[in-house]
Amino acid sequence: IYYESGSDFTYGEGGPGDSHTPEEAAAHTVIHIRKPGTYSLSGKLSRGQIAVDLGEDAEEDPTAVVTLILNGADITCTVAPAILFLNTYECDGNWSADSAQAEVDTSAAGANLILEGQNIVNGSHVAKIFKDKDGEKKLWKQDGAIYSYMSMSVSGPGSLELTDDNEGLDTELHLTVNGGDIAIRSDNDGINTNEDGISVTTVNGGSLLIHAGLGKEGDGIDSNGSFEMTGGTLVVMGPTRSGNGSLDVNGSAVITDGTVVMAGASGMATNFTSASQGTMLINTGSQSEGSEISVKDSSGNEIIKVTADCSYQTVLISRP
């Protein structure tokens, strides 16, 4: 699935930067996973995609679960997400705006990534394609290098270097990061969860370094619902353009444990709405790339030290 070049306005909402030729798409190998199970992926796929599709009835089938173990995998896709979960079990099967809450259990998610060893994923995106010529119904839209239409969890002791020309980790519903050493470079959002007022992005552990908004727009973490952090380390550099934020939530932003340093633009700077540890959102004025962000305790001991690799106007810091 890709956004075909030469299409007019009835085809979709993509522009020249989203378009690809049939020849470019045909040069990619798609590895289809159509049965539940655990799959270990290693080696290099220089032009291709891992596509998980367990069928249209999978959303309500608790056995429709796929776990991808990335074990020294190097995957590049230049026309679409490098890893795509299309149809799997949705663990939040009865979700609605009335039942939305900050805490979501994704332990039974149908889409799962486990990181083993060192992994590299370079992906693209698919702009919105219409189902009808009137442009009223959406057929496809896949924003991230790793994209899931259902809730997804990420864990493991390994590492992941993730690069995308749009967004990094992206789900239509919920995303939970339980572990891993994850570095994301994205032209748009680093992490995005899309369901308005419902989606929950949760960080329970691991180490995340996000460089966001490297293109025209984008947020570090963008949840159309809420954000919760219970552990781990989260460092966000960028975005640098006003109208974007290192943390962008439509609902609550809650932290109970973990270390956070976010440096970015001031236009949409957001603090945690609830915290059981110290947090501070500081307007620093214009600071240049390479400047040092340092926090010391009352005795002068340095407890946080980060060198910013982007320009910024605000810093959000939280630590036990």
Side-chain angles (χ1 to χ4, degrees):
I1 302 167
Y2 70 102
Y3 197 96
E4 188 168 344
S5 60
S7 303
D8 64 16
F9 67 94
T10 65
Y11 179 74
E13 295 184 354
D18 307 296
S19 301
H20 304 281
T21 65
E23 291 77 16
E24 183 184 2
H28 287 71
T29 297
V30 181
I31 297 176
H32 294 279
I33 294 177
R34 295 193 174 100
K35 293 183 179 181
T38 299
Y39 300 82
S40 181
L41 308 178
S42 61
K44 186 171 185 177
L45 181 60
S46 58
R47 284 186 295 184
Q49 181 188 67
I50 311 299
V52 178
D53 187 357
L54 304 187
E56 294 181 357
D57 297 330
E59 182 176 352
E60 299 180 0
D61 181 0
T63 68
V65 175
V66 168
T67 299
L68 300 181
I69 301 175
L70 302 185
N71 189 8
D74 185 343
I75 305 169
T76 296
C77 185
T78 64
V79 300
I83 297 176
L84 173 66
F85 291 94
L86 188 61
N87 286 301
T88 61
Y89 175 59
E90 177 47 60
C91 56
D92 190 4
N94 296 317
W95 57 270
S96 69
D98 295 332
S99 64
Q101 53 187 342
E103 296 185 17
V104 172
D105 181 9
T106 58
S107 60
N112 303 280
L113 290 178
I114 296 179
L115 306 178
E116 300 278 356
Q118 297 179 325
N119 302 280
I120 300 172
V121 174
N122 301 303
S124 185
H125 66 286
V126 179
K128 183 183 289 185
I129 300 173
F130 296 139
K131 189 174 183 178
D132 57 27
K133 293 183 178 180
D134 297 325
E136 295 178 352
K137 295 182 179 180
K138 179 179 70 177
L139 179 60
W140 303 112
K141 186 174 184 286
Q142 301 161 2
D143 287 337
I146 298 178
Y147 189 86
S148 177
Y149 282 87
M150 308 298 172
S151 295
M152 178 171 63
S153 72
V154 182
S155 58
S159 67
L160 172 64
E161 294 182 21
L162 182 62
T163 304
D164 189 69
D165 60 10
N166 192 45
E167 297 177 351
L169 283 172
D170 198 314
T171 71
E172 282 298 300
L173 201 49
H174 307 305
L175 172 68
T176 301
V177 177
N178 295 311
D181 187 357
I182 302 171
I184 299 174
R185 296 185 63 86
S186 61
D187 280 7
N188 203 299
D189 300 334
I191 290 177
N192 187 211
T193 50
N194 291 295
E195 192 65 35
D196 290 344
I198 294 174
S199 289
V200 180
T201 301
T202 305
V203 176
N204 292 323
S207 176
L208 286 88
L209 172 60
I210 298 174
H211 294 84
L214 299 177
K216 293 182 178 180
E217 303 291 340
D219 304 310
I221 290 182
D222 183 358
S223 174
N224 288 6
S226 58
F227 173 72
E228 182 174 8
M229 185 162 179
T230 68
T233 300
L234 172 62
V235 176
V236 177
M237 293 289 140
T240 59
R241 293 170 176 82
S242 61
N244 300 272
S246 300
L247 177 62
D248 180 12
V249 294
N250 287 0
S252 61
V254 179
I255 186 167
T256 58
D257 199 357
T259 298
V260 174
V261 179
M262 297 185 178
S266 59
M268 291 182 63
T270 301
N271 201 346
F272 291 99
T273 56
S274 176
S276 57
Q277 63 183 35
T279 72
M280 49 186 169
L281 177 63
I282 307 166
N283 187 339
T284 63
S286 296
Q287 302 294 322
S288 60
E289 179 181 349
S291 61
E292 188 175 280
I293 300 169
S294 175
V295 179
K296 297 179 180 179
D297 64 18
S298 58
S299 300
N301 300 310
E302 198 165 47
I303 58 175
I304 291 178
K305 181 179 180 180
V306 174
T307 300
D309 51 11
C310 69
S311 59
Y312 60 96
Q313 297 90 42
T314 61
V315 174
L316 172 62
I317 295 174
S318 183
R319 179 175 168 152

